Amino acid sequence: MSTTTAAPETEKKEEEVKGGELLFCGTTAWDSIGRRKGLPEANLVLPTRLRPLVGVDICYVASGCASCHCVALDVDGRCYTWGRNDKGQLGHGDQIQRDRPTVVSALASYKIVKAGSGRAHMVVVTEDGLSLSFGWNKHGQLGTGSVKNEIELYPVRCLVSEVKNVACGADFTYNTKDSSVRLAYEAQPRPKAIGSLAGQTIVKVACGSNHTVAVDSQGYVYTLGHREQKDEFSPRRLDVFTKHNLVPPGAVVSAGSVNCACTAGGGQMYMWGKIKNTGDDWMYPKPLMDLSGWNIRCMDSGSMHHFVGADSSCISWGHAQSGELGYGPNQQKSSAIPKKVDILEGMHVISVACGFAHSLVVVDRTNVADQLDQLDIYDGKAAGEGVEEPDTKPPPPKKTNKKAGAKAPQTSNKRKKSKESSDSEDSEQESIDEDEDESDEEANGFAEKKSRRGGKAAGRGRGRGRPPAAAKEGGAVAAPAKRGRGRPKKA
């Protein structure tokens, strides 16, 4: 299920959206991520330009901590998707994997401004506040009112309008009964207001695999992190962010698979949950001192790695095996503390997104043309069509319910409804879940073994450029003056 938020009416109108160059790092073996060991040749260990998007003004990118696919939006509202597509989560009307960013032609009549990505589904928001979704709907996560185990290959209308933003968890089901034997879950196919947040205006929201963090207009934060390890089935206010430490409306909020982060007063970043592979979990929000003094503009978290855009630097850290931290072929794969991505030093980061073993970064092209020219360009494998619209025009998004809002054009239904198909999907998803669980256990339990998702990446550089000489010194980047040791240093 996707979670939507409405911004306050008094909020100032955003400045004109500015786009930049999209860079990608991590694995491109979309069919094997989380399922089996991929080839090192599929790992892009340095930030790399993608051929179909070279020179395209990308203003927004999204993926998810459980997502093996990506979405990018340009300044004109075009929506590009690529990656795994076994459940139709790319919205192209088929289940063909795409290595190259491809325009979702069924959304050509809309200007898409926001997007969210789950394990096998995607939700987009139009300039007019409509929300559309596509992909797997076994748990009702498409928000169409249906909970049938079906696949929507084309965008369909969600039963909610006047949408400002969207965030997706992995599958998002809700607990309804607790017993000593088992937990029973009931899907929620229709978007439903959260009673405990009635009267609150939510301005920020982020989703992990199975949890959500939200910030209201008064600066209060609702999520887990209450100094105890138990499931929370109703939003609960964090006492750390009250009184003199409220979260401003423009705060950066992020959620990884098993952690949360946000910036509070003075721009200080706080994190909580499972932060590292070793050591105790952070049971309540604690300041991340390694990033003290930085002007943090954007952040996102993947399965167990994080990316931050701050000042004129890009910073990453976490557990990685497929090059998703972007350090390069001769550098460390993982980092327990924030470390600058040296090859991007001096660049202004506009947007970041982290997925399952991959990362997306959008940088301003101003005054960095020479640096961008040093980066490799990845072509990817052809999938029968490029970013151009296909000759056969697909049906527009269908109207799923009279209560959906504004009128939607009539469309044909591209669903798989047969019992045989449903059974095979259940079997396949169970296999995927088992593989992903094994992968998570590896990520959470060791630092020496090779990852199931990428194997060894050292010595397999993709770009003509290499990290500057300073990068060869290794270790964490120094902190700003008078801030202590072990923190990233401002450029």
Side-chain angles (χ1 to χ4, degrees):
M1 190 190 80
S2 53
T3 304
T4 56
T5 61
E9 296 180 0
T10 57
E11 185 178 1
K12 294 182 180 179
K13 186 176 181 180
E14 295 183 2
E15 297 179 359
E16 183 179 356
V17 178
K18 183 177 183 180
E21 188 79 9
L22 184 143
L23 307 176
F24 178 97
C25 57
T27 184
T28 60
W30 303 108
D31 58 339
S32 64
I33 303 175
R35 295 172 172 173
R36 59 185 180 274
K37 184 177 179 179
L39 297 174
E41 291 81 3
N43 298 334
L44 303 179
V45 298
L46 281 171
T48 303
R49 304 164 83 184
L50 303 181
R51 176 74 66 186
L53 298 182
V54 170
V56 177
D57 290 326
I58 299 297
C59 60
Y60 187 87
V61 286
S63 191
C65 54
S67 300
C68 300
H69 56 282
C70 313
V71 57
L73 310 178
D74 67 17
V75 293
D76 295 320
R78 283 186 290 264
C79 178
Y80 303 79
T81 62
W82 69 102
R84 185 181 292 175
N85 194 33
D86 56 341
K87 296 293 190 294
Q89 55 263 51
L90 300 186
H92 298 298
D94 55 39
Q95 292 169 270
I96 301 173
Q97 175 179 300
R98 283 169 172 75
D99 289 350
R100 301 172 178 174
T102 307
V103 167
V104 181
S105 53
L107 296 174
S109 60
Y110 298 93
K111 182 174 182 179
I112 307 301
V113 294
K114 297 289 183 180
S117 177
R119 188 196 308 275
H121 74 289
M122 194 175 293
V123 182
V124 298
V125 177
T126 71
E127 185 180 38
D128 299 326
L130 302 178
S131 55
L132 304 104
S133 57
F134 36 95
W136 202 26
N137 193 48
K138 180 178 181 180
H139 305 289
Q141 57 263 51
L142 298 188
T144 61
S146 170
V147 74
K148 293 181 180 179
N149 183 10
E150 58 194 3
I151 293 174
E152 295 290 357
L153 300 179
Y154 286 112
V156 294
R157 284 282 300 275
C158 300
L159 300 182
V160 62
S161 56
E162 299 182 12
V163 180
K164 297 295 182 182
N165 207 342
V166 63
C168 298
D171 304 304
F172 269 22
T173 52
Y174 292 89
N175 176 274
T176 58
K177 184 169 61 177
D178 190 0
S179 69
S180 60
V181 179
R182 62 187 291 269
L183 291 175
Y185 294 89
E186 179 183 354
Q188 179 64 47
R190 301 178 67 88
K192 183 179 180 181
I194 300 174
S196 56
L197 293 179
Q200 304 298 329
T201 301
I202 302 301
V203 296
K204 295 283 182 177
V205 66
C207 293
S209 293
N210 294 292
H211 69 282
T212 302
V213 54
V215 180
D216 68 17
S217 57
Q218 301 180 61
Y220 296 121
V221 180
Y222 304 83
T223 184
L224 306 179
H226 303 283
R227 303 175 187 267
E228 54 189 355
Q229 275 187 317
K230 71 172 186 178
D231 293 342
E232 298 279 350
F233 300 112
S234 179
R236 183 176 170 189
R237 184 184 296 178
L238 282 169
D239 56 10
V240 174
F241 302 108
T242 56
K243 297 181 180 179
H244 303 295
N245 194 32
L246 295 174
V247 175
V252 174
V253 179
S254 173
S257 59
V258 285
N259 51 60
C260 299
C262 74
T263 54
Q268 176 65 56
M269 174 164 286
Y270 288 76
M271 293 193 73
W272 61 101
K274 187 173 184 61
I275 307 301
K276 301 178 181 179
N277 294 325
T278 58
D280 296 332
D281 299 337
W282 292 9
M283 302 293 290
Y284 60 92
K286 298 180 182 179
L288 190 64
M289 302 309 297
D290 295 308
L291 293 178
S292 296
W294 286 81
N295 177 27
I296 299 173
R297 292 188 306 277
C298 55
M299 175 185 179
D300 199 24
S301 300
S303 178
M304 278 300 290
H305 77 287
H306 318 277
F307 251 83
V308 166
D311 294 318
S312 296
S313 298
C314 192
I315 301 165
S316 64
W317 72 98
H319 178 82
Q321 287 291 322
S322 303
E324 55 264 45
L325 296 183
Y327 294 152
N330 301 317
Q331 300 297 311
Q332 62 198 83
K333 294 179 182 177
S334 299
S335 177
I337 56 178
K339 182 179 182 295
K340 288 197 295 185
V341 182
D342 292 304
I343 203 168
L344 300 182
E345 184 61 20
M347 295 188 183
H348 179 90
V349 177
I350 298 174
S351 180
V352 296
C354 295
F356 197 93
H358 62 273
S359 305
L360 304 165
V361 182
V362 181
V363 298
D364 190 347
R365 298 189 189 91
T366 307
N367 302 322
V368 295
D370 292 341
Q371 283 181 268
L372 290 175
D373 288 341
Q374 296 300 312
L375 303 180
D376 195 12
I377 298 177
Y378 177 70
D379 290 301
K381 298 178 182 178
E385 63 179 288
V387 298
E388 297 84 4
E389 295 185 15
D391 294 334
T392 303
K393 187 175 181 180
K398 64 182 180 181
K399 186 175 180 180
T400 59
N401 191 288
K402 293 182 178 180
K403 298 181 181 180
K407 289 185 178 180
Q410 294 182 352
T411 66
S412 60
N413 189 352
K414 297 288 184 178
R415 298 179 179 176
K416 291 191 172 183
K417 294 186 177 180
S418 67
K419 182 178 185 299
E420 293 81 0
S421 175
S422 298
D423 292 341
S424 64
E425 288 162 7
D426 288 337
S427 176
E428 180 181 352
Q429 183 62 20
E430 289 175 1
S431 174
I432 294 174
D433 291 341
E434 289 175 1
D435 289 334
E436 288 175 347
D437 289 342
E438 291 175 4
S439 180
D440 290 342
E441 289 174 3
E442 289 182 355
N444 295 340
F446 73 90
E448 302 295 333
K449 298 180 183 178
K450 292 182 180 178
S451 169
R452 293 170 59 89
R453 298 190 297 273
K456 188 174 181 181
R460 304 295 307 198
R462 284 276 177 169
R464 296 192 304 272
R466 293 291 182 269
K472 298 180 180 179
E473 296 175 4
V477 183
K482 299 181 181 180
R483 290 286 184 179
R485 298 178 296 173
R487 303 163 197 161
K489 183 178 179 180
K490 284 188 179 180

